Amino acid sequence: MYHCHLQFYLLGRACSTFETIKRMPPLEHFTHEFLESEGLQEELAAKADVVLANLEGFADGAAVMSLIMAKPEKAELVLLMDIGQKSLLPKDFSKVKDLWIAPMPEEEVKFRFLRWQQSCKMGKDFWQTNHYLETALNSVPNLVWYKDKNGIHKKVNDSFCRTVNKSHQQVEGRGHAYIWDVEHDDPACIESERVVMETRKTCVSEEVIQTGAGMRTLMTYKSPLYDLDGSVMGTAGVGIDVTQERAYEQEIVRKNQTLEK
């Protein structure tokens, strides 16, 4: 669904590597635009999402540092260099995405650039999936949470935070007692999560929870979360606050009993 327009800044002497890259098609959801100059032009570097710099003809490492300073923080930097140009490399490699030893055969250029494209697409796909998840979680009134096997909350939604009157930063990484402002973790909650992890099935139950604001009744749906090796690593929960509904039911029962008498 997303669309990503990438601006590539091809810096340095024209070379076959640049020509091969310009001929390669974008992946799905992507379009490419190429900016080129033989010498560093800061206005072009500032527009770039990706900088491919051919170090052929670079006199010293100062030129590389100038490029690093000119590009946006988010822009990825790929250096094309001869094996004898190690002295040009910066001491801090955290600003460099990759090093390509030139000259390279055309097939190797295609291989390397395709690998870069696939890595970039994976990152954008992850962003989209995370965006979908966050939007769905935070648009529902129900409480949603994810816990590890020790009962520590790893992620919660906005409704959960509003209910406990705490921020995401306060809740995530903490246990039940702190979050709900009580002295001890809730035994019923611990037991239901143990059953979920042992049976590896979704369990539905009604839980009465002691909170700092009094007793709350939640209809909970808890499911196991699996680790990479297939073992259970925690639980995911959805809680529907039915405190008021249960109060209404009790009031109806009380009135019926009064009428019967």
Side-chain angles (χ1 to χ4, degrees), residues 172-198:
E172 292 168 1
R174 303 301 295 265
H176 178 98
Y178 167 81
I179 293 170
W180 292 94
D181 296 321
V182 293
E183 292 186 5
H184 305 288
D185 289 344
D186 187 84
C189 186
I190 295 172
E191 176 60 18
S192 63
E193 288 166 4
R194 183 191 65 78
V195 172
V196 168
M197 290 188 285
E198 288 186 358

mmCIF file with all atom_site columns, all heavy atoms in Angstrom, residues 172-198:
data_model
loop_
_atom_site.group_PDB
_atom_site.id
_atom_site.type_symbol
_atom_site.label_atom_id
_atom_site.label_alt_id
_atom_site.label_comp_id
_atom_site.label_asym_id
_atom_site.label_entity_id
_atom_site.label_seq_id
_atom_site.pdbx_PDB_ins_code
_atom_site.Cartn_x
_atom_site.Cartn_y
_atom_site.Cartn_z
_atom_site.occupancy
_atom_site.B_iso_or_equiv
_atom_site.pdbx_formal_charge
_atom_site.auth_seq_id
_atom_site.auth_comp_id
_atom_site.auth_asym_id
_atom_site.auth_atom_id
_atom_site.pdbx_PDB_model_num
ATOM 1   N N   . GLU A 1 172 ? 5.218  -0.325  30.328 1.00 0.00 ? 172 GLU A N   1
ATOM 2   C CA  . GLU A 1 172 ? 6.000  -1.347  29.640 1.00 0.00 ? 172 GLU A CA  1
ATOM 3   C C   . GLU A 1 172 ? 7.300  -1.621  30.392 1.00 0.00 ? 172 GLU A C   1
ATOM 4   O O   . GLU A 1 172 ? 8.061  -0.716  30.711 1.00 0.00 ? 172 GLU A O   1
ATOM 5   C CB  . GLU A 1 172 ? 6.244  -0.926  28.189 1.00 0.00 ? 172 GLU A CB  1
ATOM 6   C CG  . GLU A 1 172 ? 4.943  -0.927  27.392 1.00 0.00 ? 172 GLU A CG  1
ATOM 7   C CD  . GLU A 1 172 ? 5.036  -0.258  26.032 1.00 0.00 ? 172 GLU A CD  1
ATOM 8   O OE1 . GLU A 1 172 ? 6.140  0.218   25.676 1.00 0.00 ? 172 GLU A OE1 1
ATOM 9   O OE2 . GLU A 1 172 ? 4.010  -0.195  25.328 1.00 0.00 ? 172 GLU A OE2 1
ATOM 10  N N   . GLY A 1 173 ? 7.509  -2.900  30.695 1.00 0.00 ? 173 GLY A N   1
ATOM 11  C CA  . GLY A 1 173 ? 8.658  -3.309  31.487 1.00 0.00 ? 173 GLY A CA  1
ATOM 12  C C   . GLY A 1 173 ? 8.331  -3.511  32.961 1.00 0.00 ? 173 GLY A C   1
ATOM 13  O O   . GLY A 1 173 ? 9.223  -3.809  33.752 1.00 0.00 ? 173 GLY A O   1
ATOM 14  N N   . ARG A 1 174 ? 7.043  -3.351  33.320 1.00 0.00 ? 174 ARG A N   1
ATOM 15  C CA  . ARG A 1 174 ? 6.649  -3.494  34.723 1.00 0.00 ? 174 ARG A CA  1
ATOM 16  C C   . ARG A 1 174 ? 5.612  -4.600  34.892 1.00 0.00 ? 174 ARG A C   1
ATOM 17  O O   . ARG A 1 174 ? 4.984  -5.055  33.947 1.00 0.00 ? 174 ARG A O   1
ATOM 18  C CB  . ARG A 1 174 ? 6.057  -2.170  35.249 1.00 0.00 ? 174 ARG A CB  1
ATOM 19  C CG  . ARG A 1 174 ? 6.982  -0.979  35.128 1.00 0.00 ? 174 ARG A CG  1
ATOM 20  C CD  . ARG A 1 174 ? 8.290  -1.174  35.890 1.00 0.00 ? 174 ARG A CD  1
ATOM 21  N NE  . ARG A 1 174 ? 8.093  -1.259  37.322 1.00 0.00 ? 174 ARG A NE  1
ATOM 22  C CZ  . ARG A 1 174 ? 8.195  -0.241  38.152 1.00 0.00 ? 174 ARG A CZ  1
ATOM 23  N NH1 . ARG A 1 174 ? 8.504  0.965   37.698 1.00 0.00 ? 174 ARG A NH1 1
ATOM 24  N NH2 . ARG A 1 174 ? 8.018  -0.406  39.456 1.00 0.00 ? 174 ARG A NH2 1
ATOM 25  N N   . GLY A 1 175 ? 5.426  -5.025  36.166 1.00 0.00 ? 175 GLY A N   1
ATOM 26  C CA  . GLY A 1 175 ? 4.492  -6.090  36.494 1.00 0.00 ? 175 GLY A CA  1
ATOM 27  C C   . GLY A 1 175 ? 3.130  -5.566  36.923 1.00 0.00 ? 175 GLY A C   1
ATOM 28  O O   . GLY A 1 175 ? 2.890  -4.356  37.000 1.00 0.00 ? 175 GLY A O   1
ATOM 29  N N   . HIS A 1 176 ? 2.247  -6.497  37.251 1.00 0.00 ? 176 HIS A N   1
ATOM 30  C CA  . HIS A 1 176 ? 0.846  -6.199  37.560 1.00 0.00 ? 176 HIS A CA  1
ATOM 31  C C   . HIS A 1 176 ? 0.689  -5.255  38.756 1.00 0.00 ? 176 HIS A C   1
ATOM 32  O O   . HIS A 1 176 ? -0.079 -4.287  38.701 1.00 0.00 ? 176 HIS A O   1
ATOM 33  C CB  . HIS A 1 176 ? 0.106  -7.516  37.833 1.00 0.00 ? 176 HIS A CB  1
ATOM 34  C CG  . HIS A 1 176 ? -1.331 -7.355  38.204 1.00 0.00 ? 176 HIS A CG  1
ATOM 35  N ND1 . HIS A 1 176 ? -2.350 -7.510  37.294 1.00 0.00 ? 176 HIS A ND1 1
ATOM 36  C CD2 . HIS A 1 176 ? -1.924 -7.049  39.394 1.00 0.00 ? 176 HIS A CD2 1
ATOM 37  C CE1 . HIS A 1 176 ? -3.504 -7.301  37.899 1.00 0.00 ? 176 HIS A CE1 1
ATOM 38  N NE2 . HIS A 1 176 ? -3.279 -7.028  39.173 1.00 0.00 ? 176 HIS A NE2 1
ATOM 39  N N   . ALA A 1 177 ? 1.383  -5.529  39.859 1.00 0.00 ? 177 ALA A N   1
ATOM 40  C CA  . ALA A 1 177 ? 1.173  -4.779  41.099 1.00 0.00 ? 177 ALA A CA  1
ATOM 41  C C   . ALA A 1 177 ? 1.445  -3.292  40.905 1.00 0.00 ? 177 ALA A C   1
ATOM 42  O O   . ALA A 1 177 ? 0.648  -2.436  41.312 1.00 0.00 ? 177 ALA A O   1
ATOM 43  C CB  . ALA A 1 177 ? 2.050  -5.343  42.209 1.00 0.00 ? 177 ALA A CB  1
ATOM 44  N N   . TYR A 1 178 ? 2.571  -2.959  40.290 1.00 0.00 ? 178 TYR A N   1
ATOM 45  C CA  . TYR A 1 178 ? 2.905  -1.547  40.065 1.00 0.00 ? 178 TYR A CA  1
ATOM 46  C C   . TYR A 1 178 ? 1.886  -0.882  39.154 1.00 0.00 ? 178 TYR A C   1
ATOM 47  O O   . TYR A 1 178 ? 1.422  0.240   39.424 1.00 0.00 ? 178 TYR A O   1
ATOM 48  C CB  . TYR A 1 178 ? 4.307  -1.427  39.462 1.00 0.00 ? 178 TYR A CB  1
ATOM 49  C CG  . TYR A 1 178 ? 4.595  -0.043  38.928 1.00 0.00 ? 178 TYR A CG  1
ATOM 50  C CD1 . TYR A 1 178 ? 4.984  0.987   39.784 1.00 0.00 ? 178 TYR A CD1 1
ATOM 51  C CD2 . TYR A 1 178 ? 4.458  0.235   37.561 1.00 0.00 ? 178 TYR A CD2 1
ATOM 52  C CE1 . TYR A 1 178 ? 5.238  2.261   39.295 1.00 0.00 ? 178 TYR A CE1 1
ATOM 53  C CE2 . TYR A 1 178 ? 4.705  1.517   37.066 1.00 0.00 ? 178 TYR A CE2 1
ATOM 54  C CZ  . TYR A 1 178 ? 5.090  2.520   37.934 1.00 0.00 ? 178 TYR A CZ  1
ATOM 55  O OH  . TYR A 1 178 ? 5.333  3.781   37.447 1.00 0.00 ? 178 TYR A OH  1
ATOM 56  N N   . ILE A 1 179 ? 1.522  -1.567  38.082 1.00 0.00 ? 179 ILE A N   1
ATOM 57  C CA  . ILE A 1 179 ? 0.638  -0.963  37.084 1.00 0.00 ? 179 ILE A CA  1
ATOM 58  C C   . ILE A 1 179 ? -0.739 -0.667  37.654 1.00 0.00 ? 179 ILE A C   1
ATOM 59  O O   . ILE A 1 179 ? -1.314 0.398   37.408 1.00 0.00 ? 179 ILE A O   1
ATOM 60  C CB  . ILE A 1 179 ? 0.529  -1.893  35.852 1.00 0.00 ? 179 ILE A CB  1
ATOM 61  C CG1 . ILE A 1 179 ? 1.886  -1.957  35.129 1.00 0.00 ? 179 ILE A CG1 1
ATOM 62  C CG2 . ILE A 1 179 ? -0.572 -1.434  34.904 1.00 0.00 ? 179 ILE A CG2 1
ATOM 63  C CD1 . ILE A 1 179 ? 1.961  -3.017  34.053 1.00 0.00 ? 179 ILE A CD1 1
ATOM 64  N N   . TRP A 1 180 ? -1.260 -1.609  38.451 1.00 0.00 ? 180 TRP A N   1
ATOM 65  C CA  . TRP A 1 180 ? -2.615 -1.456  38.968 1.00 0.00 ? 180 TRP A CA  1
ATOM 66  C C   . TRP A 1 180 ? -2.654 -0.856  40.383 1.00 0.00 ? 180 TRP A C   1
ATOM 67  O O   . TRP A 1 180 ? -3.712 -0.797  41.013 1.00 0.00 ? 180 TRP A O   1
ATOM 68  C CB  . TRP A 1 180 ? -3.327 -2.809  38.959 1.00 0.00 ? 180 TRP A CB  1
ATOM 69  C CG  . TRP A 1 180 ? -3.586 -3.304  37.562 1.00 0.00 ? 180 TRP A CG  1
ATOM 70  C CD1 . TRP A 1 180 ? -2.808 -4.140  36.822 1.00 0.00 ? 180 TRP A CD1 1
ATOM 71  C CD2 . TRP A 1 180 ? -4.707 -2.970  36.732 1.00 0.00 ? 180 TRP A CD2 1
ATOM 72  N NE1 . TRP A 1 180 ? -3.360 -4.359  35.586 1.00 0.00 ? 180 TRP A NE1 1
ATOM 73  C CE2 . TRP A 1 180 ? -4.538 -3.647  35.501 1.00 0.00 ? 180 TRP A CE2 1
ATOM 74  C CE3 . TRP A 1 180 ? -5.849 -2.171  36.907 1.00 0.00 ? 180 TRP A CE3 1
ATOM 75  C CZ2 . TRP A 1 180 ? -5.446 -3.556  34.456 1.00 0.00 ? 180 TRP A CZ2 1
ATOM 76  C CZ3 . TRP A 1 180 ? -6.751 -2.075  35.865 1.00 0.00 ? 180 TRP A CZ3 1
ATOM 77  C CH2 . TRP A 1 180 ? -6.560 -2.755  34.661 1.00 0.00 ? 180 TRP A CH2 1
ATOM 78  N N   . ASP A 1 181 ? -1.499 -0.406  40.870 1.00 0.00 ? 181 ASP A N   1
ATOM 79  C CA  . ASP A 1 181 ? -1.412 0.278   42.172 1.00 0.00 ? 181 ASP A CA  1
ATOM 80  C C   . ASP A 1 181 ? -1.913 -0.584  43.325 1.00 0.00 ? 181 ASP A C   1
ATOM 81  O O   . ASP A 1 181 ? -2.715 -0.147  44.169 1.00 0.00 ? 181 ASP A O   1
ATOM 82  C CB  . ASP A 1 181 ? -2.194 1.609   42.134 1.00 0.00 ? 181 ASP A CB  1
ATOM 83  C CG  . ASP A 1 181 ? -1.596 2.598   41.164 1.00 0.00 ? 181 ASP A CG  1
ATOM 84  O OD1 . ASP A 1 181 ? -0.357 2.680   41.085 1.00 0.00 ? 181 ASP A OD1 1
ATOM 85  O OD2 . ASP A 1 181 ? -2.372 3.276   40.451 1.00 0.00 ? 181 ASP A OD2 1
ATOM 86  N N   . VAL A 1 182 ? -1.437 -1.832  43.358 1.00 0.00 ? 182 VAL A N   1
ATOM 87  C CA  . VAL A 1 182 ? -1.774 -2.741  44.458 1.00 0.00 ? 182 VAL A CA  1
ATOM 88  C C   . VAL A 1 182 ? -0.474 -3.321  45.019 1.00 0.00 ? 182 VAL A C   1
ATOM 89  O O   . VAL A 1 182 ? 0.592  -3.204  44.409 1.00 0.00 ? 182 VAL A O   1
ATOM 90  C CB  . VAL A 1 182 ? -2.713 -3.878  43.983 1.00 0.00 ? 182 VAL A CB  1
ATOM 91  C CG1 . VAL A 1 182 ? -4.074 -3.312  43.602 1.00 0.00 ? 182 VAL A CG1 1
ATOM 92  C CG2 . VAL A 1 182 ? -2.114 -4.646  42.816 1.00 0.00 ? 182 VAL A CG2 1
ATOM 93  N N   . GLU A 1 183 ? -0.581 -3.974  46.188 1.00 0.00 ? 183 GLU A N   1
ATOM 94  C CA  . GLU A 1 183 ? 0.628  -4.471  46.850 1.00 0.00 ? 183 GLU A CA  1
ATOM 95  C C   . GLU A 1 183 ? 1.170  -5.747  46.219 1.00 0.00 ? 183 GLU A C   1
ATOM 96  O O   . GLU A 1 183 ? 2.386  -5.977  46.199 1.00 0.00 ? 183 GLU A O   1
ATOM 97  C CB  . GLU A 1 183 ? 0.333  -4.718  48.336 1.00 0.00 ? 183 GLU A CB  1
ATOM 98  C CG  . GLU A 1 183 ? 0.080  -3.444  49.129 1.00 0.00 ? 183 GLU A CG  1
ATOM 99  C CD  . GLU A 1 183 ? -0.072 -3.732  50.613 1.00 0.00 ? 183 GLU A CD  1
ATOM 100 O OE1 . GLU A 1 183 ? 0.118  -4.893  51.012 1.00 0.00 ? 183 GLU A OE1 1
ATOM 101 O OE2 . GLU A 1 183 ? -0.360 -2.780  51.364 1.00 0.00 ? 183 GLU A OE2 1
ATOM 102 N N   . HIS A 1 184 ? 0.265  -6.605  45.709 1.00 0.00 ? 184 HIS A N   1
ATOM 103 C CA  . HIS A 1 184 ? 0.708  -7.901  45.211 1.00 0.00 ? 184 HIS A CA  1
ATOM 104 C C   . HIS A 1 184 ? 0.085  -8.192  43.840 1.00 0.00 ? 184 HIS A C   1
ATOM 105 O O   . HIS A 1 184 ? -0.991 -7.675  43.514 1.00 0.00 ? 184 HIS A O   1
ATOM 106 C CB  . HIS A 1 184 ? 0.320  -9.019  46.183 1.00 0.00 ? 184 HIS A CB  1
ATOM 107 C CG  . HIS A 1 184 ? 0.820  -8.804  47.575 1.00 0.00 ? 184 HIS A CG  1
ATOM 108 N ND1 . HIS A 1 184 ? 2.145  -8.920  47.915 1.00 0.00 ? 184 HIS A ND1 1
ATOM 109 C CD2 . HIS A 1 184 ? 0.154  -8.455  48.724 1.00 0.00 ? 184 HIS A CD2 1
ATOM 110 C CE1 . HIS A 1 184 ? 2.293  -8.663  49.201 1.00 0.00 ? 184 HIS A CE1 1
ATOM 111 N NE2 . HIS A 1 184 ? 1.104  -8.374  49.719 1.00 0.00 ? 184 HIS A NE2 1
ATOM 112 N N   . ASP A 1 185 ? 0.779  -9.022  43.055 1.00 0.00 ? 185 ASP A N   1
ATOM 113 C CA  . ASP A 1 185 ? 0.219  -9.462  41.781 1.00 0.00 ? 185 ASP A CA  1
ATOM 114 C C   . ASP A 1 185 ? -1.052 -10.263 42.028 1.00 0.00 ? 185 ASP A C   1
ATOM 115 O O   . ASP A 1 185 ? -1.203 -10.929 43.056 1.00 0.00 ? 185 ASP A O   1
ATOM 116 C CB  . ASP A 1 185 ? 1.229  -10.327 41.021 1.00 0.00 ? 185 ASP A CB  1
ATOM 117 C CG  . ASP A 1 185 ? 2.400  -9.508  40.494 1.00 0.00 ? 185 ASP A CG  1
ATOM 118 O OD1 . ASP A 1 185 ? 2.274  -8.270  40.457 1.00 0.00 ? 185 ASP A OD1 1
ATOM 119 O OD2 . ASP A 1 185 ? 3.427  -10.107 40.132 1.00 0.00 ? 185 ASP A OD2 1
ATOM 120 N N   . ASP A 1 186 ? -1.980 -10.193 41.072 1.00 0.00 ? 186 ASP A N   1
ATOM 121 C CA  . ASP A 1 186 ? -3.274 -10.848 41.234 1.00 0.00 ? 186 ASP A CA  1
ATOM 122 C C   . ASP A 1 186 ? -3.151 -12.353 41.008 1.00 0.00 ? 186 ASP A C   1
ATOM 123 O O   . ASP A 1 186 ? -2.723 -12.790 39.946 1.00 0.00 ? 186 ASP A O   1
ATOM 124 C CB  . ASP A 1 186 ? -4.271 -10.255 40.229 1.00 0.00 ? 186 ASP A CB  1
ATOM 125 C CG  . ASP A 1 186 ? -5.670 -10.759 40.456 1.00 0.00 ? 186 ASP A CG  1
ATOM 126 O OD1 . ASP A 1 186 ? -6.377 -10.193 41.305 1.00 0.00 ? 186 ASP A OD1 1
ATOM 127 O OD2 . ASP A 1 186 ? -6.038 -11.740 39.797 1.00 0.00 ? 186 ASP A OD2 1
ATOM 128 N N   . PRO A 1 187 ? -3.521 -13.193 41.991 1.00 0.00 ? 187 PRO A N   1
ATOM 129 C CA  . PRO A 1 187 ? -3.400 -14.654 41.853 1.00 0.00 ? 187 PRO A CA  1
ATOM 130 C C   . PRO A 1 187 ? -4.215 -15.211 40.692 1.00 0.00 ? 187 PRO A C   1
ATOM 131 O O   . PRO A 1 187 ? -3.767 -16.132 39.998 1.00 0.00 ? 187 PRO A O   1
ATOM 132 C CB  . PRO A 1 187 ? -3.916 -15.185 43.202 1.00 0.00 ? 187 PRO A CB  1
ATOM 133 C CG  . PRO A 1 187 ? -3.781 -14.053 44.144 1.00 0.00 ? 187 PRO A CG  1
ATOM 134 C CD  . PRO A 1 187 ? -4.011 -12.819 43.341 1.00 0.00 ? 187 PRO A CD  1
ATOM 135 N N   . ALA A 1 188 ? -5.423 -14.682 40.471 1.00 0.00 ? 188 ALA A N   1
ATOM 136 C CA  . ALA A 1 188 ? -6.268 -15.179 39.390 1.00 0.00 ? 188 ALA A CA  1
ATOM 137 C C   . ALA A 1 188 ? -5.629 -14.909 38.034 1.00 0.00 ? 188 ALA A C   1
ATOM 138 O O   . ALA A 1 188 ? -5.676 -15.742 37.119 1.00 0.00 ? 188 ALA A O   1
ATOM 139 C CB  . ALA A 1 188 ? -7.649 -14.526 39.460 1.00 0.00 ? 188 ALA A CB  1
ATOM 140 N N   . CYS A 1 189 ? -5.013 -13.760 37.914 1.00 0.00 ? 189 CYS A N   1
ATOM 141 C CA  . CYS A 1 189 ? -4.337 -13.392 36.667 1.00 0.00 ? 189 CYS A CA  1
ATOM 142 C C   . CYS A 1 189 ? -3.144 -14.315 36.419 1.00 0.00 ? 189 CYS A C   1
ATOM 143 O O   . CYS A 1 189 ? -2.942 -14.806 35.306 1.00 0.00 ? 189 CYS A O   1
ATOM 144 C CB  . CYS A 1 189 ? -3.891 -11.937 36.754 1.00 0.00 ? 189 CYS A CB  1
ATOM 145 S SG  . CYS A 1 189 ? -3.189 -11.297 35.229 1.00 0.00 ? 189 CYS A SG  1
ATOM 146 N N   . ILE A 1 190 ? -2.357 -14.562 37.445 1.00 0.00 ? 190 ILE A N   1
ATOM 147 C CA  . ILE A 1 190 ? -1.198 -15.448 37.330 1.00 0.00 ? 190 ILE A CA  1
ATOM 148 C C   . ILE A 1 190 ? -1.631 -16.854 36.929 1.00 0.00 ? 190 ILE A C   1
ATOM 149 O O   . ILE A 1 190 ? -1.030 -17.491 36.060 1.00 0.00 ? 190 ILE A O   1
ATOM 150 C CB  . ILE A 1 190 ? -0.420 -15.488 38.664 1.00 0.00 ? 190 ILE A CB  1
ATOM 151 C CG1 . ILE A 1 190 ? 0.178  -14.104 38.954 1.00 0.00 ? 190 ILE A CG1 1
ATOM 152 C CG2 . ILE A 1 190 ? 0.675  -16.548 38.622 1.00 0.00 ? 190 ILE A CG2 1
ATOM 153 C CD1 . ILE A 1 190 ? 0.804  -13.995 40.329 1.00 0.00 ? 190 ILE A CD1 1
ATOM 154 N N   . GLU A 1 191 ? -2.700 -17.349 37.561 1.00 0.00 ? 191 GLU A N   1
ATOM 155 C CA  . GLU A 1 191 ? -3.173 -18.698 37.287 1.00 0.00 ? 191 GLU A CA  1
ATOM 156 C C   . GLU A 1 191 ? -3.688 -18.835 35.862 1.00 0.00 ? 191 GLU A C   1
ATOM 157 O O   . GLU A 1 191 ? -3.395 -19.819 35.176 1.00 0.00 ? 191 GLU A O   1
ATOM 158 C CB  . GLU A 1 191 ? -4.279 -19.076 38.277 1.00 0.00 ? 191 GLU A CB  1
ATOM 159 C CG  . GLU A 1 191 ? -4.922 -20.440 38.040 1.00 0.00 ? 191 GLU A CG  1
ATOM 160 C CD  . GLU A 1 191 ? -3.934 -21.597 38.129 1.00 0.00 ? 191 GLU A CD  1
ATOM 161 O OE1 . GLU A 1 191 ? -2.846 -21.416 38.699 1.00 0.00 ? 191 GLU A OE1 1
ATOM 162 O OE2 . GLU A 1 191 ? -4.271 -22.687 37.630 1.00 0.00 ? 191 GLU A OE2 1
ATOM 163 N N   . SER A 1 192 ? -4.451 -17.859 35.383 1.00 0.00 ? 192 SER A N   1
ATOM 164 C CA  . SER A 1 192 ? -4.992 -17.951 34.027 1.00 0.00 ? 192 SER A CA  1
ATOM 165 C C   . SER A 1 192 ? -3.878 -17.925 32.983 1.00 0.00 ? 192 SER A C   1
ATOM 166 O O   . SER A 1 192 ? -3.941 -18.629 31.970 1.00 0.00 ? 192 SER A O   1
ATOM 167 C CB  . SER A 1 192 ? -5.985 -16.809 33.771 1.00 0.00 ? 192 SER A CB  1
ATOM 168 O OG  . SER A 1 192 ? -5.351 -15.545 33.852 1.00 0.00 ? 192 SER A OG  1
ATOM 169 N N   . GLU A 1 193 ? -2.831 -17.152 33.227 1.00 0.00 ? 193 GLU A N   1
ATOM 170 C CA  . GLU A 1 193 ? -1.714 -17.104 32.289 1.00 0.00 ? 193 GLU A CA  1
ATOM 171 C C   . GLU A 1 193 ? -0.918 -18.406 32.314 1.00 0.00 ? 193 GLU A C   1
ATOM 172 O O   . GLU A 1 193 ? -0.411 -18.867 31.280 1.00 0.00 ? 193 GLU A O   1
ATOM 173 C CB  . GLU A 1 193 ? -0.826 -15.906 32.599 1.00 0.00 ? 193 GLU A CB  1
ATOM 174 C CG  . GLU A 1 193 ? -1.482 -14.587 32.205 1.00 0.00 ? 193 GLU A CG  1
ATOM 175 C CD  . GLU A 1 193 ? -0.806 -13.378 32.797 1.00 0.00 ? 193 GLU A CD  1
ATOM 176 O OE1 . GLU A 1 193 ? 0.241  -13.559 33.473 1.00 0.00 ? 193 GLU A OE1 1
ATOM 177 O OE2 . GLU A 1 193 ? -1.318 -12.260 32.598 1.00 0.00 ? 193 GLU A OE2 1
ATOM 178 N N   . ARG A 1 194 ? -0.813 -19.017 33.495 1.00 0.00 ? 194 ARG A N   1
ATOM 179 C CA  . ARG A 1 194 ? -0.149 -20.320 33.578 1.00 0.00 ? 194 ARG A CA  1
ATOM 180 C C   . ARG A 1 194 ? -0.901 -21.361 32.758 1.00 0.00 ? 194 ARG A C   1
ATOM 181 O O   . ARG A 1 194 ? -0.287 -22.134 32.010 1.00 0.00 ? 194 ARG A O   1
ATOM 182 C CB  . ARG A 1 194 ? -0.068 -20.771 35.039 1.00 0.00 ? 194 ARG A CB  1
ATOM 183 C CG  . ARG A 1 194 ? 0.681  -22.094 35.246 1.00 0.00 ? 194 ARG A CG  1
ATOM 184 C CD  . ARG A 1 194 ? 0.497  -22.626 36.654 1.00 0.00 ? 194 ARG A CD  1
ATOM 185 N NE  . ARG A 1 194 ? -0.890 -22.978 36.929 1.00 0.00 ? 194 ARG A NE  1
ATOM 186 C CZ  . ARG A 1 194 ? -1.461 -24.109 36.493 1.00 0.00 ? 194 ARG A CZ  1
ATOM 187 N NH1 . ARG A 1 194 ? -0.768 -24.977 35.761 1.00 0.00 ? 194 ARG A NH1 1
ATOM 188 N NH2 . ARG A 1 194 ? -2.725 -24.358 36.777 1.00 0.00 ? 194 ARG A NH2 1
ATOM 189 N N   . VAL A 1 195 ? -2.220 -21.362 32.863 1.00 0.00 ? 195 VAL A N   1
ATOM 190 C CA  . VAL A 1 195 ? -3.045 -22.316 32.096 1.00 0.00 ? 195 VAL A CA  1
ATOM 191 C C   . VAL A 1 195 ? -2.872 -22.082 30.601 1.00 0.00 ? 195 VAL A C   1
ATOM 192 O O   . VAL A 1 195 ? -2.742 -23.037 29.825 1.00 0.00 ? 195 VAL A O   1
ATOM 193 C CB  . VAL A 1 195 ? -4.526 -22.177 32.505 1.00 0.00 ? 195 VAL A CB  1
ATOM 194 C CG1 . VAL A 1 195 ? -5.410 -23.006 31.577 1.00 0.00 ? 195 VAL A CG1 1
ATOM 195 C CG2 . VAL A 1 195 ? -4.717 -22.606 33.956 1.00 0.00 ? 195 VAL A CG2 1
ATOM 196 N N   . VAL A 1 196 ? -2.873 -20.834 30.192 1.00 0.00 ? 196 VAL A N   1
ATOM 197 C CA  . VAL A 1 196 ? -2.712 -20.508 28.765 1.00 0.00 ? 196 VAL A CA  1
ATOM 198 C C   . VAL A 1 196 ? -1.390 -21.044 28.234 1.00 0.00 ? 196 VAL A C   1
ATOM 199 O O   . VAL A 1 196 ? -1.326 -21.654 27.158 1.00 0.00 ? 196 VAL A O   1
ATOM 200 C CB  . VAL A 1 196 ? -2.792 -18.975 28.551 1.00 0.00 ? 196 VAL A CB  1
ATOM 201 C CG1 . VAL A 1 196 ? -2.333 -18.610 27.145 1.00 0.00 ? 196 VAL A CG1 1
ATOM 202 C CG2 . VAL A 1 196 ? -4.214 -18.494 28.774 1.00 0.00 ? 196 VAL A CG2 1
ATOM 203 N N   . MET A 1 197 ? -0.305 -20.821 28.987 1.00 0.00 ? 197 MET A N   1
ATOM 204 C CA  . MET A 1 197 ? 1.017  -21.246 28.519 1.00 0.00 ? 197 MET A CA  1
ATOM 205 C C   . MET A 1 197 ? 1.177  -22.762 28.544 1.00 0.00 ? 197 MET A C   1
ATOM 206 O O   . MET A 1 197 ? 1.874  -23.329 27.704 1.00 0.00 ? 197 MET A O   1
ATOM 207 C CB  . MET A 1 197 ? 2.105  -20.557 29.348 1.00 0.00 ? 197 MET A CB  1
ATOM 208 C CG  . MET A 1 197 ? 2.215  -19.064 29.070 1.00 0.00 ? 197 MET A CG  1
ATOM 209 S SD  . MET A 1 197 ? 3.633  -18.252 29.849 1.00 0.00 ? 197 MET A SD  1
ATOM 210 C CE  . MET A 1 197 ? 3.077  -18.164 31.550 1.00 0.00 ? 197 MET A CE  1
ATOM 211 N N   . GLU A 1 198 ? 0.545  -23.419 29.492 1.00 0.00 ? 198 GLU A N   1
ATOM 212 C CA  . GLU A 1 198 ? 0.649  -24.875 29.572 1.00 0.00 ? 198 GLU A CA  1
ATOM 213 C C   . GLU A 1 198 ? -0.214 -25.572 28.526 1.00 0.00 ? 198 GLU A C   1
ATOM 214 O O   . GLU A 1 198 ? 0.208  -26.562 27.923 1.00 0.00 ? 198 GLU A O   1
ATOM 215 C CB  . GLU A 1 198 ? 0.280  -25.355 30.973 1.00 0.00 ? 198 GLU A CB  1
ATOM 216 C CG  . GLU A 1 198 ? 1.327  -25.036 32.030 1.00 0.00 ? 198 GLU A CG  1
ATOM 217 C CD  . GLU A 1 198 ? 0.986  -25.648 33.374 1.00 0.00 ? 198 GLU A CD  1
ATOM 218 O OE1 . GLU A 1 198 ? -0.084 -26.282 33.488 1.00 0.00 ? 198 GLU A OE1 1
ATOM 219 O OE2 . GLU A 1 198 ? 1.791  -25.495 34.314 1.00 0.00 ? 198 GLU A OE2 1
#
